[in-house]
Amino acid sequence: MITVEELTAAAAGASATERFRTDKSPFTAVTETPKDRVSELAREVLSALHDTIRRHRVTYAEYNALKAWLIDVGSDGEWPLFLDVWIEHVVEEVATEHRSGSKGTIEGPYYVPGSPHCGARATIPMRDDEPGTPVHWTGRISSVDGSPLQGDIELWHADADGRYSQFAPNLPEWNLRGTFTADPDGTFEITTIRPAPYEIPTDGSCGRLIAAAGWHAWRPAHLHVKVSAVGHQPLTTQLYFPDDPHNDDDIASAVKPELMLEPQTQADGSQKVVYDFLLDPEKA
Ligand code: MBD
Ligand code: FE
């Protein structure tokens, strides 16, 4: 882990870049992809850029603005953020189009493997005075044929200020990150708090693109989950809250109707939600 000491785009970006290099061993894919496929994909992407330049009569001033911006994305460490916000949703769509179980969506840049084990019925690691509305979530993991699965749920999300532990300063290492293992009948009960919507850092290169284009920088509040079970394809997804103003214009295009929770507000102000998972068996 690299320690994040400031609430800046560059500090979050450095941590996300380090995480990606550690976890994804990205360079095996490069050596394993056949030359013909690399050539075809690279040619097609370049030729789409060439078409845009011709069609819009892109100037040298604009070309140099792009060049300066791309250099900054790298030095801010914001490539993970840029790619996961504007590209990953289509990769996810293609990767999961054959599935009949629960809907997935993008992982985003802030997953960290190895979060603390919490059991089947527990509260996620949080501070004693963690701010935010308590959420009590019950659910069940099954195979698409209905048989229960004693699977794992890795849950991670922002706090009530929209901050992720390990990517913002002054938070305990595993705050709002935990791994839950369902009971043999597939059921689990998780207590956490409701996260705030997430604003992409405005002081880095992704923020400058958003400002220059006149877009907004928001993702709706969301819970990230990875669900895994023996013999089944792992599911990476996110769950959303129905009253969020950014459900219809998520900057990362990662909201799907199947991922909307139906929270029931209780007399004490806390919320109850039920959400189950269906996993597809491993491909033969
Ligand atoms: C997030 O929290 C996120 O989930 C994505 C996809 C991009 C940026 C921040
Ligand atoms: Fe997120």
Side-chain angles (χ1 to χ4, degrees):
M1 177 181 102
I2 74 159
T3 312
V4 176
E5 285 173 358
E6 304 161 30
L7 187 63
T8 60
S15 189
T17 299
E18 170 78 12
R19 237 340 354 120
F20 176 75
R21 287 189 169 137
T22 309
D23 301 338
K24 303 284 181 199
S25 31
F27 299 109
T28 51
V30 175
T31 51
E32 284 166 9
T33 306
K35 279 198 172 52
D36 284 354
R37 183 163 170 87
V38 175
S39 175
E40 185 178 30
L41 297 181
R43 255 185 223 286
E44 222 172 281
V45 168
L46 291 169
S47 133
L49 280 174
H50 303 158
D51 286 350
T52 301
I53 294 165
R54 289 198 186 96
R55 212 148 17 95
H56 296 274
R57 297 279 179 281
V58 169
T59 65
Y60 256 102
E62 289 165 336
Y63 171 68
N64 285 328
L66 173 66
K67 199 163 169 178
W69 182 78
L70 290 169
I71 292 167
D72 286 349
V73 178
S75 49
D76 293 344
E78 284 206 323
W79 279 117
L81 182 65
F82 173 82
L83 289 160
D84 296 350
V85 166
W86 284 295
I87 309 232
E88 189 188 355
H89 68 100
V90 189
V91 180
E92 191 278 333
E93 174 190 312
V94 170
T96 61
E97 64 193 354
H98 63 280
R99 292 193 187 193
S100 56
S102 296
K103 279 281 176 210
T105 191
I106 64 176
E107 176 175 314
Y110 302 146
Y111 168 66
V112 183
S115 63
H117 282 273
C118 305
R121 289 157 216 287
T123 298
I124 199 168
M126 64 168 76
R127 293 164 285 183
D128 290 339
D129 54 353
E130 189 68 43
T133 304
V135 174
H136 302 289
W137 170 16
T138 54
R140 181 183 155 105
I141 311 173
S142 318
S143 186
V144 286
D145 69 5
S147 52
L149 293 172
Q150 190 170 23
D152 276 348
I153 295 188
E154 292 175 85
L155 174 64
W156 74 102
H157 62 85
D159 66 11
D161 291 322
R163 315 263 162 90
Y164 283 87
S165 59
Q166 303 190 36
F167 299 88
N170 306 319
L171 291 168
E173 185 175 11
W174 296 103
N175 208 54
L176 305 175
R177 297 176 180 275
T179 302
F180 302 81
T181 302
D183 278 335
D185 67 353
T187 63
F188 60 87
E189 279 181 38
I190 299 172
T191 298
T192 187
I193 56 100
R194 211 176 136 146
Y198 179 83
E199 187 180 27
I200 305 244
T202 50
D203 65 317
S205 42
C206 290
R208 277 193 287 123
L209 168 63
I210 289 168
W215 301 338
H216 75 74
W218 290 92
R219 296 215 59 221
H222 54 280
L223 303 174
H224 289 271
V225 253
K226 277 182 184 282
V227 189
S228 54
V230 171
H232 288 74
Q233 298 174 46
L235 171 71
T236 300
T237 194
Q238 300 180 31
L239 302 174
Y240 301 91
F241 297 86
D243 52 356
D244 195 293
H246 290 294
N247 284 333
D248 297 327
D249 63 357
D250 177 11
I251 184 77
S253 312
V255 180
K256 303 179 186 185
E258 297 87 347
L259 304 179
M260 213 43 78
L261 295 167
E262 292 176 22
Q264 310 283 330
T265 301
Q266 307 299 295
D268 64 359
S270 69
Q271 298 194 324
K272 279 192 178 166
V273 297
V274 178
Y275 198 92
D276 299 335
F277 296 108
L278 281 180
L279 298 188
D280 285 75
E282 261 165 15
K283 285 182 260 186

PDB file of all heavy atoms in Angstrom, residues 81 85 106 108-110 164 198 219 222 224 238 252, ligand 1:
ATOM      1  N   LEU A  81      -8.187   6.154 -13.539  1.00  0.00           N
ATOM      2  CA  LEU A  81      -9.454   6.870 -13.420  1.00  0.00           C
ATOM      3  C   LEU A  81     -10.044   7.135 -14.807  1.00  0.00           C
ATOM      4  O   LEU A  81     -11.217   6.839 -15.072  1.00  0.00           O
ATOM      5  CB  LEU A  81      -9.223   8.185 -12.662  1.00  0.00           C
ATOM      6  CG  LEU A  81     -10.468   9.042 -12.419  1.00  0.00           C
ATOM      7  CD1 LEU A  81     -11.446   8.336 -11.491  1.00  0.00           C
ATOM      8  CD2 LEU A  81     -10.073  10.401 -11.824  1.00  0.00           C
ATOM      9  N   VAL A  85     -13.531   5.335 -16.027  1.00  0.00           N
ATOM     10  CA  VAL A  85     -14.706   6.212 -16.145  1.00  0.00           C
ATOM     11  C   VAL A  85     -15.255   6.216 -17.571  1.00  0.00           C
ATOM     12  O   VAL A  85     -16.464   6.167 -17.774  1.00  0.00           O
ATOM     13  CB  VAL A  85     -14.358   7.651 -15.680  1.00  0.00           C
ATOM     14  CG1 VAL A  85     -15.433   8.645 -16.105  1.00  0.00           C
ATOM     15  CG2 VAL A  85     -14.189   7.687 -14.163  1.00  0.00           C
ATOM     16  N   ILE A 106     -18.916  -2.038 -13.965  1.00  0.00           N
ATOM     17  CA  ILE A 106     -17.465  -1.832 -13.891  1.00  0.00           C
ATOM     18  C   ILE A 106     -16.902  -1.948 -12.474  1.00  0.00           C
ATOM     19  O   ILE A 106     -17.610  -1.709 -11.491  1.00  0.00           O
ATOM     20  CB  ILE A 106     -17.073  -0.473 -14.488  1.00  0.00           C
ATOM     21  CG1 ILE A 106     -17.659   0.698 -13.685  1.00  0.00           C
ATOM     22  CG2 ILE A 106     -17.525  -0.397 -15.937  1.00  0.00           C
ATOM     23  CD1 ILE A 106     -17.208   2.062 -14.201  1.00  0.00           C
ATOM     24  N   GLY A 108     -14.037  -0.155 -11.557  1.00  0.00           N
ATOM     25  CA  GLY A 108     -13.508   1.147 -11.153  1.00  0.00           C
ATOM     26  C   GLY A 108     -12.103   1.031 -10.602  1.00  0.00           C
ATOM     27  O   GLY A 108     -11.558  -0.073 -10.494  1.00  0.00           O
ATOM     28  N   PRO A 109     -11.496   2.163 -10.235  1.00  0.00           N
ATOM     29  CA  PRO A 109     -10.076   2.170  -9.861  1.00  0.00           C
ATOM     30  C   PRO A 109      -9.769   1.882  -8.397  1.00  0.00           C
ATOM     31  O   PRO A 109      -8.601   1.831  -8.027  1.00  0.00           O
ATOM     32  CB  PRO A 109      -9.633   3.592 -10.222  1.00  0.00           C
ATOM     33  CG  PRO A 109     -10.868   4.426 -10.169  1.00  0.00           C
ATOM     34  CD  PRO A 109     -12.040   3.521 -10.447  1.00  0.00           C
ATOM     35  N   TYR A 110     -10.782   1.694  -7.531  1.00  0.00           N
ATOM     36  CA  TYR A 110     -10.511   1.704  -6.093  1.00  0.00           C
ATOM     37  C   TYR A 110     -10.724   0.374  -5.370  1.00  0.00           C
ATOM     38  O   TYR A 110     -10.848   0.337  -4.150  1.00  0.00           O
ATOM     39  CB  TYR A 110     -11.328   2.813  -5.416  1.00  0.00           C
ATOM     40  CG  TYR A 110     -11.045   4.196  -5.964  1.00  0.00           C
ATOM     41  CD1 TYR A 110     -12.044   5.160  -6.051  1.00  0.00           C
ATOM     42  CD2 TYR A 110      -9.767   4.548  -6.409  1.00  0.00           C
ATOM     43  CE1 TYR A 110     -11.787   6.430  -6.565  1.00  0.00           C
ATOM     44  CE2 TYR A 110      -9.504   5.806  -6.933  1.00  0.00           C
ATOM     45  CZ  TYR A 110     -10.520   6.746  -7.010  1.00  0.00           C
ATOM     46  OH  TYR A 110     -10.263   7.994  -7.515  1.00  0.00           O
ATOM     47  N   TYR A 164     -12.777   7.127  -0.416  1.00  0.00           N
ATOM     48  CA  TYR A 164     -12.418   5.703  -0.333  1.00  0.00           C
ATOM     49  C   TYR A 164     -11.161   5.542   0.508  1.00  0.00           C
ATOM     50  O   TYR A 164     -10.158   6.226   0.255  1.00  0.00           O
ATOM     51  CB  TYR A 164     -12.118   5.159  -1.727  1.00  0.00           C
ATOM     52  CG  TYR A 164     -13.342   4.887  -2.566  1.00  0.00           C
ATOM     53  CD1 TYR A 164     -13.911   5.885  -3.342  1.00  0.00           C
ATOM     54  CD2 TYR A 164     -13.929   3.618  -2.581  1.00  0.00           C
ATOM     55  CE1 TYR A 164     -15.032   5.637  -4.126  1.00  0.00           C
ATOM     56  CE2 TYR A 164     -15.043   3.361  -3.360  1.00  0.00           C
ATOM     57  CZ  TYR A 164     -15.589   4.372  -4.127  1.00  0.00           C
ATOM     58  OH  TYR A 164     -16.694   4.125  -4.893  1.00  0.00           O
ATOM     59  N   TYR A 198     -20.096  10.225  -5.495  1.00  0.00           N
ATOM     60  CA  TYR A 198     -18.654  10.393  -5.657  1.00  0.00           C
ATOM     61  C   TYR A 198     -18.368  11.427  -6.731  1.00  0.00           C
ATOM     62  O   TYR A 198     -18.858  11.306  -7.858  1.00  0.00           O
ATOM     63  CB  TYR A 198     -18.016   9.051  -6.053  1.00  0.00           C
ATOM     64  CG  TYR A 198     -16.530   9.160  -6.258  1.00  0.00           C
ATOM     65  CD1 TYR A 198     -15.660   9.095  -5.172  1.00  0.00           C
ATOM     66  CD2 TYR A 198     -15.994   9.360  -7.521  1.00  0.00           C
ATOM     67  CE1 TYR A 198     -14.295   9.228  -5.349  1.00  0.00           C
ATOM     68  CE2 TYR A 198     -14.625   9.491  -7.708  1.00  0.00           C
ATOM     69  CZ  TYR A 198     -13.788   9.428  -6.615  1.00  0.00           C
ATOM     70  OH  TYR A 198     -12.438   9.575  -6.796  1.00  0.00           O
ATOM     71  N   ARG A 219     -20.535  10.646  -9.954  1.00  0.00           N
ATOM     72  CA  ARG A 219     -21.107   9.306  -9.994  1.00  0.00           C
ATOM     73  C   ARG A 219     -22.173   9.256  -8.892  1.00  0.00           C
ATOM     74  O   ARG A 219     -21.967   9.797  -7.806  1.00  0.00           O
ATOM     75  CB  ARG A 219     -20.054   8.231  -9.660  1.00  0.00           C
ATOM     76  CG  ARG A 219     -18.902   8.143 -10.659  1.00  0.00           C
ATOM     77  CD  ARG A 219     -18.464   6.695 -10.803  1.00  0.00           C
ATOM     78  NE  ARG A 219     -19.603   5.929 -11.246  1.00  0.00           N
ATOM     79  CZ  ARG A 219     -19.946   4.718 -10.805  1.00  0.00           C
ATOM     80  NH1 ARG A 219     -19.207   4.117  -9.893  1.00  0.00           N
ATOM     81  NH2 ARG A 219     -21.014   4.099 -11.254  1.00  0.00           N
ATOM     82  N   HIS A 222     -22.875   4.586  -4.608  1.00  0.00           N
ATOM     83  CA  HIS A 222     -22.874   3.179  -5.023  1.00  0.00           C
ATOM     84  C   HIS A 222     -22.093   2.319  -4.051  1.00  0.00           C
ATOM     85  O   HIS A 222     -21.159   2.779  -3.402  1.00  0.00           O
ATOM     86  CB  HIS A 222     -22.283   3.031  -6.428  1.00  0.00           C
ATOM     87  CG  HIS A 222     -20.929   3.636  -6.573  1.00  0.00           C
ATOM     88  ND1 HIS A 222     -20.736   4.992  -6.766  1.00  0.00           N
ATOM     89  CD2 HIS A 222     -19.683   3.077  -6.537  1.00  0.00           C
ATOM     90  CE1 HIS A 222     -19.438   5.236  -6.832  1.00  0.00           C
ATOM     91  NE2 HIS A 222     -18.766   4.107  -6.684  1.00  0.00           N
ATOM     92  N   HIS A 224     -19.768  -1.059  -4.137  1.00  0.00           N
ATOM     93  CA  HIS A 224     -19.063  -1.975  -5.043  1.00  0.00           C
ATOM     94  C   HIS A 224     -19.059  -3.376  -4.445  1.00  0.00           C
ATOM     95  O   HIS A 224     -18.812  -3.523  -3.241  1.00  0.00           O
ATOM     96  CB  HIS A 224     -17.601  -1.571  -5.194  1.00  0.00           C
ATOM     97  CG  HIS A 224     -17.353  -0.325  -5.963  1.00  0.00           C
ATOM     98  ND1 HIS A 224     -17.176  -0.313  -7.322  1.00  0.00           N
ATOM     99  CD2 HIS A 224     -17.195   0.955  -5.566  1.00  0.00           C
ATOM    100  CE1 HIS A 224     -16.924   0.926  -7.730  1.00  0.00           C
ATOM    101  NE2 HIS A 224     -16.937   1.721  -6.682  1.00  0.00           N
ATOM    102  N   GLN A 238     -22.069  -3.211  -8.965  1.00  0.00           N
ATOM    103  CA  GLN A 238     -22.309  -2.087  -8.062  1.00  0.00           C
ATOM    104  C   GLN A 238     -23.805  -1.999  -7.828  1.00  0.00           C
ATOM    105  O   GLN A 238     -24.596  -2.348  -8.708  1.00  0.00           O
ATOM    106  CB  GLN A 238     -21.860  -0.751  -8.682  1.00  0.00           C
ATOM    107  CG  GLN A 238     -20.383  -0.690  -9.034  1.00  0.00           C
ATOM    108  CD  GLN A 238     -19.980   0.653  -9.640  1.00  0.00           C
ATOM    109  OE1 GLN A 238     -20.547   1.698  -9.333  1.00  0.00           O
ATOM    110  NE2 GLN A 238     -18.980   0.611 -10.497  1.00  0.00           N
ATOM    111  N   ALA A 252     -19.562   7.742 -15.293  1.00  0.00           N
ATOM    112  CA  ALA A 252     -18.901   6.483 -15.685  1.00  0.00           C
ATOM    113  C   ALA A 252     -19.846   5.520 -16.423  1.00  0.00           C
ATOM    114  O   ALA A 252     -19.445   4.390 -16.729  1.00  0.00           O
ATOM    115  CB  ALA A 252     -18.314   5.792 -14.453  1.00  0.00           C
TER     116      ALA A 252
HETATM  117  C1  MBD B   1     -15.341   5.532  -8.519  1.00  0.00           C
HETATM  118  O1  MBD B   1     -15.708   5.385  -7.240  1.00  0.00           O
HETATM  119  C2  MBD B   1     -15.774   4.606  -9.398  1.00  0.00           C
HETATM  120  O2  MBD B   1     -16.557   3.641  -8.920  1.00  0.00           O
HETATM  121  C3  MBD B   1     -15.439   4.702 -10.733  1.00  0.00           C
HETATM  122  C4  MBD B   1     -15.945   3.739 -11.688  1.00  0.00           C
HETATM  123  C5  MBD B   1     -14.624   5.721 -11.175  1.00  0.00           C
HETATM  124  C6  MBD B   1     -14.174   6.643 -10.288  1.00  0.00           C
HETATM  125  C7  MBD B   1     -14.517   6.539  -8.961  1.00  0.00           C
END
